[in-house]
Amino acid sequence: VFAPKSKNGKTVSKFITFDFDFEKLKYAQKAVTKVIEILEKEFGIEEEYILVNYSGNKGYHLSLFFTEYIDIRVLRQFYSLVLFFSGYNTREIEFRPTNVQGVKLPLSKHPLTKEKSAFVNPYTFEKISDYAMMNVKKLERDEFSEMIRVEVYPKYKNDPYFTTKKKINFTGDLANILD
């Protein structure tokens, strides 16, 4: 699944996926756990909004879904915020979807291992029902922007390390959802 172009030519998406690929699953699980802690602690995103699935090879996909399309540049800034808090880098946790890099559909077979991907409990990594996706709540666009405005923006907007070294742009793309 790729991110489509909107009528005004911007690349948009109704979801964001963090793609965790590590040599060993235990390292991917540790990273997923860390990102979930960040989503809960820094952004107030509860478990009912988080969907995790085993990719069928050496990692996991963690996805959040939205009720409306959001500019991919804003989602990429959100991804950068999460990486900043986690200490992981873009090789360990990749951003999806883009207009050139999609996400493999859940419950499909991995092209190399032929192993079926599966939804997993985000805390135990035990396989759960194939219907788990039906129970995941979608974040409202306003709710999502409020999480950033209230939980993150005030704490870090003037931190020079945060805004320059990590290239988080509170005044550019991310400001689109803060105003």
Side-chain angles (χ1 to χ4, degrees), residues 7 10 14-15 35 37 62 66 72 88 93 138 153:
K7 290 180 184 176
K10 292 182 180 179
K14 287 182 101 173
F15 70 96
V35 167
E37 288 173 5
L62 183 155
F66 306 99
I72 211 77
Y88 287 100
I93 304 173
K138 294 178 183 178
Y153 185 64

Side-chain angles (χ1 to χ4, degrees), residues 59-77:
Y60 295 90
H61 296 159
L62 183 155
S63 299
L64 303 173
F65 299 89
F66 306 99
T67 57
E68 298 175 54
Y69 284 106
I70 297 177
D71 188 313
I72 211 77
R73 295 173 301 171
V74 172
L75 294 177
R76 191 175 288 279
Q77 289 290 328

Side-chain angles (χ1 to χ4, degrees), residues 32-94:
V32 169
T33 300
K34 179 71 173 174
V35 167
I36 289 172
E37 288 173 5
I38 290 162
L39 293 174
E40 291 174 340
K41 179 183 170 197
E42 296 294 338
F43 298 96
I45 297 174
E46 298 171 357
E47 177 185 354
E48 59 200 7
Y49 295 95
I50 299 169
L51 182 67
V52 178
N53 70 292
Y54 166 64
S55 70
N57 190 17
K58 56 183 180 173
Y60 295 90
H61 296 159
L62 183 155
S63 299
L64 303 173
F65 299 89
F66 306 99
T67 57
E68 298 175 54
Y69 284 106
I70 297 177
D71 188 313
I72 211 77
R73 295 173 301 171
V74 172
L75 294 177
R76 191 175 288 279
Q77 289 290 328
F78 174 71
Y79 159 81
S80 295
L81 286 168
V82 173
L83 285 191
F84 171 77
F85 289 121
S86 74
Y88 287 100
N89 64 52
T90 57
R91 291 180 312 281
E92 297 163 320
I93 304 173
E94 297 177 347

Side-chain angles (χ1 to χ4, degrees), residues 70-129:
I70 297 177
D71 188 313
I72 211 77
R73 295 173 301 171
V74 172
L75 294 177
R76 191 175 288 279
Q77 289 290 328
F78 174 71
Y79 159 81
S80 295
L81 286 168
V82 173
L83 285 191
F84 171 77
F85 289 121
S86 74
Y88 287 100
N89 64 52
T90 57
R91 291 180 312 281
E92 297 163 320
I93 304 173
E94 297 177 347
F95 172 81
R96 298 286 190 273
T98 70
N99 59 337
V100 294
Q101 289 184 304
V103 178
K104 185 173 64 66
L105 289 173
L107 308 178
S108 60
K109 289 187 179 181
H110 192 279
L112 297 175
T113 65
K114 305 297 184 215
E115 191 171 340
K116 180 183 168 191
S117 66
F119 296 118
V120 296
N121 178 296
Y123 301 102
T124 66
F125 299 97
E126 298 289 323
K127 291 182 181 179
I128 58 175
S129 169

Side-chain angles (χ1 to χ4, degrees), residues 2 14 19 27 41 50 52-53 73 84 86-87 93 97 102 115 127 133-134 152 156 161-162 164 167 176:
F2 294 89
K14 287 182 101 173
D19 184 357
Y27 299 130
K41 179 183 170 197
I50 299 169
V52 178
N53 70 292
R73 295 173 301 171
F84 171 77
S86 74
I93 304 173
E115 191 171 340
K127 291 182 181 179
M133 189 172 194
M134 304 301 287
V152 178
Y156 299 99
Y161 177 81
F162 186 71
T164 57
K167 297 181 175 39
N176 292 336

